[in-house]
Amino acid sequence: MAESEEYYDYLFKLVLIGDSGVGKSNLLSRFTRNEFLYESKSTIGVEFATRNLKMEGKTVKAQIWDTAGQERYRAITSAYYRGAVGALLVFDITKRATYDNVDRWLKELREHADPDIAIMLVGNKTDQPHLRGVSTAEAQQKAREAKLSYFETSALSGDNVEASFTELVKEIYSIASRAQIDVAGSSWVPTQFRPDHAESVPLGGPAKPASNGGCC
Amino acid sequence: MVEENQAAEAHTLDRYGFIVSSDEHGPLRQPTRQSIEKEHERIQKWTWMLNHWQGFHHTRKFRQRVRKGIPEQFRGVVWQKLLASRVLYEHHELENPFKSVYSALLTQTNEEAAITIEKDITRTFPSHAMFRSDNTAGKDALEHNLNAFACYKPEVGYCQGMGFIDGVLLMYMSEKEAFWALRQIVVDRMPGIFNTGFPMLQVRFKQWNKLLSKREPAIFKALARHNIDASFYTTQWFMTLFIYAAPFEVAVRIFDCFCCEGVKIVFRVGLTYIAALKKTILKAPFEQVMVAIQRTPLTLELFESAIDLKLKSAEFALPDEGRKVMVR
Ligand SMILES: Nc1nc2c(ncn2[C@@H]2O[C@H](COP(=O)(O)OP(=O)(O)O)[C@@H](O)[C@H]2O)c(=O)[nH]1
Ligand SMILES: [Mg+2]
């Protein structure tokens, strides 16, 4: 499934965000490699994995980024958001505190990400219904208010993981393909959606060419 | 998870306690007659050095021997001496056996830190016999150490990454000794690295970028062109001294050098590692470059070629570094 074919029409950078321990890294490995790792390390630094999806006959490459979730790590994550067109904001349905932090993560996105970034709220660990601390209705309500879509997943069982990522990619795809149609005639494609085989800039907005790649 | 645990007993472990076939596990090295003789010779030299510590530990010869690797049996003791944590341990834990500072810390709680620590305990060395989900001794010690530290220095608290350093310490010394060694590393040797806002890490990124642009300008430019920020790949290096990703046999060698010579070793190994990936970094597309930087194993050979790399201390000195740390 995760055969990373060289060819793609669109490249979308997605970021995983949310508190430490909610299951971001396992959602990523479930979606890109169909794996759940019982023995995985806490994420330090940045990881990413990719998977190609088909949308209306076009190939969309989802490049998904993952990083540490602890609050203080936000001091070094501004480069992480650069060029991201979608975000999965994950919380753990069995840990109320991770849900209470959703608003802080939304604020973080407003400060660091593109204002047009597509955001999906994800409640993970539905395989533990007996430990549930956040009801579906409640989370749905929050998502509605913030104009986000909401999905509940289990990285462990694999339930809904495919559906949530695909839905987010679909949302972005429809915006991207509309943007392309809007300027029919010209070959203009918003920079962040441009497939770039030769150099494969990580979306990177109008890639600041001489940016020193240095620290933030 | 239960089935997983039962299977654990059946795993073959390497000499360090990692499950053979796990990521941290390096290539299996069969001892030969020569290697055993050489090891024996090293043990004799180190026994002598430990007995003549005061006069010897700041000599060139000593540093050279550390660079060749401290023998397994002595690592715990030598690290404590080099970090000067041994004196703290003796003072705070042994002088008055009824007033252990560490035991007192264990009665306190730092609520915020404890929540994050708990989530990280089984995610620190998941493939090491001491820290696996089916073993409690190592995990408890790790949890105690990290919680005690969060109470000892509330302004630092707990930061993800600390556990990897503490875990290594716990493999080589007792819980109390490890606590004081951790204290020396976090407070004295890497001040500010784990503090909120990561002030020290930001300094290291700047120093790294400067060094890279000077020594490997082509690589520096290529990474900038790909928008690959130093924070993406050097965070692990500076915070966990390569313990997070390097094969363990290399990680302990780096740690030997760190205890003796400080952060210089991180720059040396980092630069050598990145330079070895030059071809890929200059030619390959973004994703391949990222994967190469994150997944290429740091080999012993690479480490050994990094040790003697000449670097000017000024390139990564902190305003207050350079002062001699009292080592007893
Ligand atoms: N029961 C259950 N546990 C999960 C699920 N996803 C992750 N976990 C566990 O939660 C812990 C944290 O997962 P991880 O992916 O490392 O979280 P991250 O810090 O957000 O990247 C690990 O112990 C995982 O095994 C899930 O869907 N169900
Ligand atoms: Mg993670």
Side-chain angles (χ1 to χ4, degrees), chain B residues 144-164:
Chain B
H144 293 162
N145 264 195
L146 296 173
N147 275 304
F149 186 83
C151 295
Y152 174 80
K153 281 276 165 208
E155 68 272 27
V156 182
Y158 170 68
C159 178
Q160 293 194 300
M162 278 182 191
F164 292 92

Side-chain angles (χ1 to χ4, degrees), chain A residues 20 38-42 44 46-48 61 63 65 70 72-73 82 199-200 202 211-212 214-215, chain B residues 1 24 119-120 123 132 156 158 160 194 209 224 226-227 229 236 239 244 286-287 290 294-295:
Chain A
S20 171
Y38 285 93
E39 299 177 343
S40 58
K41 289 192 244 181
S42 337
I44 311 281
V46 171
E47 303 272 337
F48 83 87
K61 180 178 205 160
Q63 184 188 77
W65 293 53
Q70 195 186 7
R72 67 183 72 179
Y73 275 84
R82 191 184 295 145
E199 227 158 68
S200 187
S211 98
N212 59 12
C215 74
Chain B
M1 243 180 243
E24 291 86 349
K119 292 176 187 163
D120 280 345
R123 296 193 292 165
R132 287 176 58 81
V156 182
Y158 170 68
Q160 293 194 300
F194 293 116
N209 281 326
H226 284 307
N227 275 322
D229 195 271
Q236 292 176 2
M239 280 195 170
Y244 185 80
F286 166 80
E287 281 174 16
M290 279 288 280
Q294 295 183 320
R295 299 263 176 275

Side-chain angles (χ1 to χ4, degrees), chain B residues 264-288:
Chain B
K264 223 182 223 196
I265 189 68
V266 179
F267 287 92
R268 285 195 173 112
V269 172
L271 203 57
T272 310
Y273 179 79
I274 285 288
L277 299 172
K278 189 166 191 167
K279 233 185 176 161
T280 308
I281 294 174
L282 297 191
K283 298 239 165 67
F286 166 80
E287 281 174 16
Q288 276 174 38

Side-chain angles (χ1 to χ4, degrees), chain A residues 20-26 36 124-125 127-128 154-156, chain B residues 123:
Chain A
S20 171
V22 296
K24 298 181 295 297
S25 300
N26 274 290
F36 182 88
N124 188 42
K125 307 200 185 177
D127 55 279
Q128 299 186 312
S154 165
L156 190 149
Chain B
R123 296 193 292 165

Side-chain angles (χ1 to χ4, degrees), chain A residues 21-188:
Chain A
V22 296
K24 298 181 295 297
S25 300
N26 274 290
L27 283 168
L28 178 63
S29 64
R30 174 61 79 193
F31 180 64
T32 57
R33 298 190 299 276
N34 201 17
E35 275 177 3
F36 182 88
L37 301 168
Y38 285 93
E39 299 177 343
S40 58
K41 289 192 244 181
S42 337
T43 315
I44 311 281
V46 171
E47 303 272 337
F48 83 87
T50 64
R51 183 170 153 196
N52 287 357
L53 297 169
K54 278 267 183 268
M55 298 268 149
E56 298 173 351
K58 302 274 188 200
T59 304
V60 176
K61 180 178 205 160
Q63 184 188 77
I64 308 148
W65 293 53
D66 178 27
T67 190
Q70 195 186 7
E71 170 116 25
R72 67 183 72 179
Y73 275 84
R74 295 182 208 175
I76 52 164
T77 42
S78 61
Y80 175 75
Y81 294 105
R82 191 184 295 145
V85 294
L88 287 109
L89 200 180
V90 188
F91 70 92
D92 176 347
I93 61 149
T94 71
K95 295 237 158 62
R96 181 92 209 163
T98 67
Y99 174 75
D100 294 337
N101 262 340
V102 164
D103 293 326
R104 288 163 90 165
W105 283 108
L106 286 171
K107 183 164 167 278
E108 170 80 1
L109 280 174
R110 272 199 299 278
E111 281 165 15
H112 293 292
D114 189 286
D116 294 328
I117 193 166
I119 307 166
M120 169 177 282
L121 185 63
V122 176
N124 188 42
K125 307 200 185 177
T126 52
D127 55 279
Q128 299 186 312
H130 50 295
L131 299 175
R132 192 184 264 277
V134 183
S135 76
T136 307
E138 185 183 4
Q140 270 168 343
Q141 175 68 21
K142 189 196 269 293
R144 244 194 317 276
E145 281 164 14
K147 298 200 172 61
L148 319 174
S149 37
Y150 177 60
F151 268 77
E152 288 193 344
T153 59
S154 165
L156 190 149
S157 72
D159 225 33
N160 245 355
V161 174
E162 183 86 16
S164 60
F165 278 92
T166 310
E167 178 60 31
L168 181 62
V169 169
K170 215 189 269 172
E171 262 176 47
I172 301 164
Y173 177 83
S174 75
I175 303 168
S177 51
R178 236 184 292 131
Q180 220 171 347
I181 291 159
D182 286 347
V183 286
S186 87
S187 61
W188 181 83

